[in-house]
Coordinates of all heavy atoms in Angstrom, one line a residue:
M13 N 102.7 81.3 81.5 CA 103.1 82.5 82.0 C 102.3 83.7 81.5 O 102.0 84.7 82.2 CB 104.6 82.8 81.8 CG 105.5 82.0 82.6 SD 105.5 82.4 84.3 CE 106.6 81.3 85.0
D14 N 101.9 83.7 80.3 CA 101.1 84.8 79.7 C 99.8 84.9 80.4 O 99.4 86.0 80.7 CB 100.8 84.5 78.2 CG 102.1 84.7 77.4 OD1 103.0 85.4 77.8 OD2 102.2 84.0 76.3
Q15 N 99.1 83.8 80.8 CA 97.9 83.9 81.5 C 98.1 84.5 82.9 O 97.3 85.3 83.4 CB 97.2 82.5 81.6 CG 95.8 82.6 82.3 CD 94.9 83.4 81.5 OE1 94.8 83.4 80.3 NE2 94.1 84.2 82.2
F16 N 99.2 84.1 83.6 CA 99.5 84.7 84.9 C 99.6 86.2 84.8 O 99.1 87.0 85.6 CB 100.8 84.1 85.4 CG 101.3 84.8 86.6 CD1 100.7 84.6 87.9 CD2 102.4 85.7 86.6 CE1 101.1 85.3 89.0 CE2 102.8 86.3 87.7 CZ 102.2 86.1 88.9
Y17 N 100.4 86.7 83.7 CA 100.6 88.1 83.6 C 99.2 88.8 83.3 O 99.0 89.9 83.8 CB 101.6 88.4 82.5 CG 101.8 89.9 82.2 CD1 102.5 90.6 83.2 CD2 101.3 90.5 81.1 CE1 102.7 92.0 83.0 CE2 101.5 91.8 80.9 CZ 102.2 92.6 81.8 OH 102.4 93.9 81.6
E18 N 98.4 88.2 82.4 CA 97.1 88.8 82.1 C 96.2 88.9 83.3 O 95.5 89.9 83.6 CB 96.4 88.0 81.0 CG 97.0 88.2 79.6 CD 97.0 89.6 79.1 OE1 96.0 90.3 79.4 OE2 98.0 90.0 78.6
D19 N 96.3 87.8 84.2 CA 95.5 87.8 85.4 C 96.0 88.9 86.3 O 95.2 89.6 87.0 CB 95.5 86.5 86.1 CG 94.8 85.4 85.4 OD1 94.0 85.7 84.5 OD2 95.0 84.2 85.7
L20 N 97.3 89.1 86.4 CA 97.9 90.1 87.3 C 97.5 91.5 86.7 O 97.1 92.4 87.5 CB 99.4 90.0 87.3 CG 100.2 90.9 88.2 CD1 99.8 90.7 89.7 CD2 101.6 90.7 88.0
K21 N 97.5 91.7 85.4 CA 97.1 92.9 84.8 C 95.6 93.2 85.1 O 95.3 94.4 85.5 CB 97.4 92.9 83.3 CG 97.1 94.1 82.6 CD 97.4 93.9 81.1 CE 97.1 95.1 80.3 NZ 97.4 94.9 78.8
Q22 N 94.8 92.2 85.0 CA 93.4 92.4 85.3 C 93.1 92.8 86.7 O 92.3 93.7 87.1 CB 92.6 91.2 84.9 CG 92.4 90.9 83.5 CD 91.6 92.0 82.8 OE1 90.7 92.6 83.3 NE2 92.1 92.3 81.5
F23 N 93.9 92.2 87.6 CA 93.8 92.5 89.1 C 94.2 93.9 89.3 O 93.5 94.7 90.0 CB 94.7 91.5 89.9 CG 94.7 91.9 91.3 CD1 93.7 91.6 92.2 CD2 95.9 92.5 91.9 CE1 93.7 91.9 93.5 CE2 95.9 92.8 93.2 CZ 94.9 92.5 94.0
G24 N 95.3 94.3 88.7 CA 95.8 95.7 88.8 C 94.8 96.7 88.3 O 94.6 97.8 88.9
M25 N 94.2 96.4 87.2 CA 93.2 97.3 86.6 C 92.0 97.4 87.6 O 91.4 98.4 87.7 CB 92.8 96.8 85.2 CG 93.9 97.0 84.2 SD 93.6 96.3 82.6 CE 91.9 96.6 82.2
G26 N 91.6 96.3 88.2 CA 90.5 96.3 89.1 C 90.8 97.1 90.3 O 89.9 97.9 90.8
V27 N 92.0 97.0 90.8 CA 92.4 97.8 92.0 C 92.4 99.2 91.6 O 91.9 100.1 92.3 CB 93.8 97.3 92.5 CG1 94.3 98.3 93.5 CG2 93.7 95.9 93.1
E28 N 92.9 99.5 90.4 CA 93.0 100.9 90.0 C 91.6 101.5 89.8 O 91.3 102.6 90.2 CB 93.7 101.0 88.7 CG 93.9 102.4 88.2 CD 94.8 102.5 86.9 OE1 95.2 101.4 86.4 OE2 95.0 103.6 86.4
Y29 N 90.7 100.7 89.3 CA 89.3 101.2 89.1 C 88.6 101.5 90.5 O 88.0 102.5 90.7 CB 88.5 100.1 88.4 CG 87.0 100.4 88.3 CD1 86.5 101.3 87.4 CD2 86.1 99.8 89.2 CE1 85.2 101.7 87.4 CE2 84.7 100.1 89.1 CZ 84.3 101.0 88.2 OH 83.0 101.3 88.2
E30 N 88.8 100.6 91.5 CA 88.3 100.8 92.8 C 88.9 102.1 93.5 O 88.2 102.9 94.1 CB 88.4 99.6 93.7 CG 87.6 98.4 93.3 CD 86.1 98.7 93.3 OE1 85.6 99.4 94.2 OE2 85.4 98.2 92.4
L31 N 90.2 102.2 93.3 CA 90.8 103.4 93.9 C 90.4 104.7 93.2 O 90.2 105.7 93.9 CB 92.3 103.3 93.8 CG 93.0 102.2 94.7 CD1 94.5 102.1 94.4 CD2 92.8 102.5 96.1
N32 N 90.1 104.6 91.9 CA 89.6 105.8 91.2 C 88.2 106.2 91.7 O 87.9 107.4 91.8 CB 89.6 105.6 89.7 CG 91.0 105.7 89.1 OD1 91.8 106.4 89.6 ND2 91.2 105.0 87.9
K33 N 87.4 105.2 92.0 CA 86.1 105.5 92.6 C 86.2 106.3 93.9 O 85.5 107.2 94.2 CB 85.3 104.2 92.8 CG 84.7 103.7 91.5 CD 83.7 102.6 91.6 CE 83.5 101.9 92.9 NZ 82.7 100.7 92.9
V34 N 87.1 105.8 94.7 CA 87.4 106.5 96.0 C 87.9 107.9 95.8 O 87.4 108.9 96.5 CB 88.4 105.7 96.9 CG1 88.8 106.5 98.1 CG2 87.8 104.4 97.3
I35 N 88.8 108.1 94.8 CA 89.3 109.4 94.5 C 88.2 110.4 94.1 O 88.1 111.5 94.6 CB 90.4 109.4 93.5 CG1 91.6 108.7 94.0 CG2 90.7 110.7 92.9 CD1 92.7 108.4 93.0
K36 N 87.3 109.9 93.3 CA 86.2 110.7 92.8 C 85.3 111.2 93.9 O 84.8 112.3 94.0 CB 85.4 110.0 91.7 CG 86.1 109.9 90.4 CD 85.2 109.2 89.4 CE 86.0 109.0 88.1 NZ 85.2 108.3 87.1
E37 N 85.1 110.3 94.9 CA 84.3 110.6 96.1 C 85.0 111.6 97.0 O 84.3 112.3 97.8 CB 83.9 109.4 96.8 CG 83.0 108.4 96.0 CD 82.8 107.1 96.7 OE1 83.3 106.9 97.8 OE2 82.0 106.3 96.1
K38 N 86.3 111.5 97.1 CA 87.1 112.2 98.1 C 88.0 113.3 97.5 O 89.1 113.5 98.1 CB 87.9 111.2 98.9 CG 87.1 110.1 99.6 CD 86.4 110.6 100.8 CE 85.6 109.5 101.5 NZ 85.1 109.9 102.7
L39 N 87.7 113.9 96.4 CA 88.6 114.8 95.8 C 89.0 116.0 96.6 O 90.0 116.7 96.4 CB 88.0 115.3 94.4 CG 88.1 114.3 93.3 CD1 87.4 114.9 92.1 CD2 89.6 114.0 93.0
D40 N 88.2 116.3 97.6 CA 88.5 117.4 98.5 C 89.6 117.1 99.6 O 90.0 118.0 100.3 CB 87.2 117.9 99.2 CG 86.2 118.5 98.3 OD1 86.6 118.9 97.2 OD2 85.0 118.4 98.6
E41 N 90.0 115.8 99.6 CA 91.0 115.4 100.6 C 92.3 115.2 99.9 O 92.6 114.1 99.5 CB 90.5 114.2 101.4 CG 89.2 114.4 102.1 CD 88.8 113.1 102.8 OE1 89.6 112.2 103.1 OE2 87.6 113.0 103.1
P42 N 93.2 116.2 99.9 CA 94.5 116.0 99.2 C 95.4 114.9 99.8 O 96.1 114.3 99.0 CB 95.2 117.4 99.3 CG 94.2 118.3 100.0 CD 93.0 117.5 100.4
E43 N 95.3 114.7 101.1 CA 96.1 113.6 101.7 C 95.7 112.2 101.1 O 96.6 111.4 100.8 CB 95.9 113.6 103.2 CG 96.3 114.8 103.9 CD 95.2 115.9 103.9 OE1 94.0 115.5 103.7 OE2 95.5 117.1 104.2
L44 N 94.4 112.0 100.9 CA 93.9 110.8 100.3 C 94.4 110.6 98.9 O 94.8 109.6 98.5 CB 92.4 110.7 100.5 CG 91.8 109.4 99.9 CD1 92.3 108.1 100.6 CD2 90.3 109.4 99.9
V45 N 94.3 111.7 98.1 CA 94.7 111.7 96.7 C 96.2 111.3 96.6 O 96.6 110.5 95.8 CB 94.4 113.0 96.1 CG1 95.0 113.1 94.7 CG2 92.9 113.3 96.0
E46 N 97.0 111.9 97.5 CA 98.4 111.6 97.4 C 98.7 110.1 97.8 O 99.5 109.5 97.2 CB 99.2 112.5 98.4 CG 99.3 113.9 97.9 CD 100.0 114.0 96.5 OE1 101.0 113.4 96.3 OE2 99.4 114.7 95.6
A47 N 98.0 109.6 98.8 CA 98.1 108.2 99.2 C 97.7 107.3 98.1 O 98.4 106.3 97.8 CB 97.3 107.9 100.5
V48 N 96.6 107.6 97.4 CA 96.2 106.8 96.3 C 97.2 106.8 95.2 O 97.5 105.8 94.6 CB 94.8 107.2 95.8 CG1 94.4 106.5 94.5 CG2 93.8 106.9 96.9
K49 N 97.7 108.0 94.9 CA 98.8 108.1 93.8 C 100.0 107.2 94.2 O 100.5 106.5 93.3 CB 99.2 109.5 93.6 CG 98.2 110.4 92.9 CD 98.8 111.8 92.8 CE 97.9 112.7 92.1 NZ 98.5 114.1 92.0
F50 N 100.4 107.2 95.4 CA 101.5 106.4 95.9 C 101.2 104.9 95.6 O 102.1 104.2 95.1 CB 101.8 106.7 97.4 CG 102.7 105.7 97.9 CD1 104.1 105.8 97.7 CD2 102.3 104.6 98.7 CE1 105.0 104.9 98.2 CE2 103.2 103.7 99.2 CZ 104.5 103.8 99.0
W51 N 100.0 104.5 96.0 CA 99.7 103.1 95.9 C 99.6 102.7 94.4 O 100.0 101.6 94.0 CB 98.4 102.7 96.6 CG 98.7 102.6 98.1 CD1 98.3 103.5 99.0 CD2 99.4 101.6 98.8 NE1 98.7 103.1 100.3 CE2 99.4 101.9 100.1 CE3 100.0 100.4 98.4 CZ2 100.0 101.1 101.1 CZ3 100.7 99.6 99.3 CH2 100.7 100.0 100.7
L52 N 99.1 103.5 93.6 CA 99.0 103.2 92.1 C 100.4 103.1 91.6 O 100.7 102.3 90.7 CB 98.2 104.3 91.4 CG 96.7 104.3 91.6 CD1 96.1 105.5 91.0 CD2 96.1 103.0 91.2
Q53 N 101.3 104.0 92.0 CA 102.7 104.0 91.5 C 103.4 102.7 92.0 O 104.1 102.1 91.3 CB 103.5 105.2 92.0 CG 103.1 106.5 91.3 CD 103.7 107.7 91.9 OE1 104.2 107.7 93.0 NE2 103.6 108.8 91.1
L54 N 103.1 102.3 93.3 CA 103.7 101.1 93.8 C 103.2 99.9 93.0 O 104.0 99.0 92.7 CB 103.3 100.9 95.3 CG 103.9 99.7 96.0 CD1 105.4 99.7 96.0 CD2 103.4 99.6 97.4
I55 N 101.9 99.8 92.7 CA 101.4 98.7 91.9 C 102.1 98.7 90.5 O 102.4 97.6 90.0 CB 99.9 98.8 91.7 CG1 99.2 98.6 93.1 CG2 99.3 97.9 90.6 CD1 97.7 98.9 93.1
Q56 N 102.3 99.8 89.9 CA 103.0 99.9 88.6 C 104.4 99.4 88.7 O 104.9 98.6 87.9 CB 103.0 101.3 88.1 CG 103.6 101.5 86.7 CD 102.9 100.7 85.7 OE1 101.7 100.6 85.6 NE2 103.7 100.0 84.8
V57 N 105.1 99.7 89.8 CA 106.5 99.3 90.0 C 106.5 97.8 90.2 O 107.4 97.1 89.6 CB 107.1 100.0 91.2 CG1 108.4 99.4 91.6 CG2 107.4 101.5 90.8
V58 N 105.6 97.2 91.0 CA 105.6 95.8 91.2 C 105.3 95.1 89.9 O 105.9 94.1 89.6 CB 104.6 95.5 92.4 CG1 104.3 94.0 92.4 CG2 105.0 96.0 93.7
T59 N 104.3 95.6 89.2 CA 104.0 94.9 87.9 C 105.1 95.0 86.9 O 105.5 94.0 86.3 CB 102.7 95.6 87.3 OG1 101.7 95.6 88.2 CG2 102.3 95.0 86.0
S60 N 105.8 96.1 86.9 CA 107.0 96.2 86.0 C 108.1 95.3 86.5 O 108.8 94.7 85.6 CB 107.5 97.6 86.0 OG 106.6 98.5 85.5
F61 N 108.3 95.1 87.8 CA 109.3 94.2 88.3 C 109.0 92.8 87.9 O 109.9 92.0 87.5 CB 109.5 94.4 89.8 CG 110.5 93.5 90.4 CD1 111.9 93.8 90.1 CD2 110.2 92.5 91.2 CE1 112.8 93.0 90.7 CE2 111.1 91.7 91.8 CZ 112.5 91.9 91.5
I62 N 107.8 92.4 88.1 CA 107.4 91.0 87.7 C 107.6 90.8 86.2 O 108.1 89.8 85.8 CB 105.9 90.8 88.1 CG1 105.8 90.7 89.7 CG2 105.4 89.5 87.5 CD1 104.4 90.6 90.2
E63 N 107.2 91.8 85.4 CA 107.4 91.7 84.0 C 108.9 91.5 83.7 O 109.3 90.7 82.8 CB 106.9 92.9 83.3 CG 106.9 92.8 81.8 CD 106.2 94.0 81.1 OE1 106.5 95.2 81.6 OE2 105.5 93.8 80.2
Y64 N 109.8 92.3 84.3 CA 111.2 92.2 84.2 C 111.7 90.8 84.5 O 112.5 90.2 83.8 CB 111.9 93.3 85.0 CG 113.4 93.1 85.1 CD1 114.2 93.4 84.1 CD2 114.0 92.6 86.3 CE1 115.6 93.3 84.2 CE2 115.3 92.4 86.4 CZ 116.1 92.7 85.3 OH 117.5 92.5 85.5
L65 N 111.2 90.3 85.7 CA 111.6 88.9 86.1 C 111.2 87.9 85.0 O 112.0 87.0 84.7 CB 111.0 88.6 87.4 CG 111.6 89.4 88.6 CD1 110.9 89.0 89.9 CD2 113.1 89.1 88.8
L66 N 110.0 88.0 84.5 CA 109.6 87.1 83.5 C 110.4 87.2 82.2 O 110.8 86.1 81.7 CB 108.1 87.4 83.1 CG 107.1 87.0 84.2 CD1 105.7 87.5 83.8 CD2 107.0 85.5 84.4
L67 N 110.8 88.4 81.8 CA 111.6 88.5 80.6 C 113.0 88.0 80.8 O 113.5 87.3 80.0 CB 111.7 90.0 80.2 CG 110.4 90.6 79.6 CD1 110.6 92.1 79.5 CD2 110.1 90.0 78.3
T68 N 113.6 88.2 82.0 CA 114.9 87.7 82.2 C 114.9 86.2 82.3 O 115.8 85.5 81.9 CB 115.5 88.3 83.5 OG1 114.7 88.1 84.6 CG2 115.8 89.8 83.3
H69 N 113.8 85.7 82.9 CA 113.7 84.2 83.0 C 113.6 83.6 81.6 O 114.2 82.6 81.2 CB 112.5 83.8 83.8 CG 112.2 82.4 83.9 ND1 113.0 81.5 84.6 CD2 111.3 81.6 83.3 CE1 112.6 80.3 84.4 NE2 111.5 80.3 83.6
L70 N 112.7 84.2 80.7 CA 112.6 83.7 79.4 C 113.9 83.8 78.6 O 114.2 83.0 77.8 CB 111.4 84.5 78.7 CG 110.0 84.2 79.1 CD1 109.0 85.2 78.5 CD2 109.7 82.8 78.9
M71 N 114.6 84.9 78.8 CA 115.9 85.1 78.1 C 116.9 84.0 78.5 O 117.6 83.5 77.7 CB 116.4 86.5 78.2 CG 115.6 87.5 77.5 SD 116.1 89.2 77.9 CE 117.8 89.2 77.3
S72 N 116.9 83.7 79.8 CA 117.9 82.8 80.3 C 117.5 81.3 79.8 O 118.4 80.5 79.6 CB 118.0 82.8 81.8 OG 116.8 82.4 82.4
T73 N 116.2 81.1 79.7 CA 115.8 79.7 79.3 C 116.0 79.6 77.8 O 116.2 78.4 77.3 CB 114.4 79.4 79.7 OG1 113.5 80.4 79.2 CG2 114.3 79.3 81.2
S74 N 115.9 80.6 77.0 CA 116.0 80.5 75.6 C 117.5 80.3 75.2 O 117.8 79.8 74.1 CB 115.5 81.8 74.9 OG 116.3 82.9 75.2
K75 N 118.5 80.7 76.0 CA 119.9 80.5 75.7 C 120.3 79.0 76.0 O 121.3 78.6 75.4 CB 120.7 81.4 76.6 CG 120.6 82.8 76.2 CD 121.5 83.7 77.1 CE 121.3 85.2 76.7 NZ 122.1 86.0 77.6
E76 N 119.5 78.3 76.8 CA 119.9 76.9 77.1 C 119.6 76.0 76.0 O 119.0 76.0 75.1 CB 119.2 76.5 78.4 CG 119.7 77.2 79.5 CD 118.9 76.9 80.8 OE1 118.0 76.1 80.7 OE2 119.2 77.5 81.8

């Protein structure tokens, strides 16, 4: 599971890097900046949710 989380984290960082490049090129377009911020927040929420699921799964299996 740790490798899965690390791979997911690397993927998220790669997506964030690519989005940051777009932001740097398009800083004059506030609509795009807001859309990128939204997607970055969504990625963070999804990553946090997956982390939460992993933790609850580990906690439930450790009780058995």
Side-chain angles (χ1 to χ4, degrees):
M13 286 292 179
D14 290 333
Q15 185 60 42
F16 170 75
Y17 179 70
E18 288 299 320
D19 291 345
L20 184 63
K21 183 177 174 182
Q22 289 296 323
F23 174 75
M25 288 172 39
V27 169
E28 184 176 3
Y29 174 77
E30 292 299 321
L31 290 174
N32 281 336
K33 283 190 348 188
V34 170
I35 290 173
K36 287 180 182 179
E37 295 170 0
K38 305 282 185 173
L39 282 176
D40 294 335
E41 298 178 23
E43 300 86 15
L44 179 63
V45 173
E46 288 302 314
V48 170
K49 284 181 183 179
F50 169 78
W51 283 107
L52 289 173
Q53 290 172 345
L54 181 62
I55 290 169
Q56 181 63 40
V57 167
V58 169
T59 303
S60 297
F61 181 68
I62 291 171
E63 186 177 44
Y64 168 77
L65 291 177
L66 289 172
L67 287 173
T68 55
H69 176 72
L70 290 173
M71 290 174 61
S72 68
T73 56
S74 67
K75 291 180 181 179
E76 294 176 358

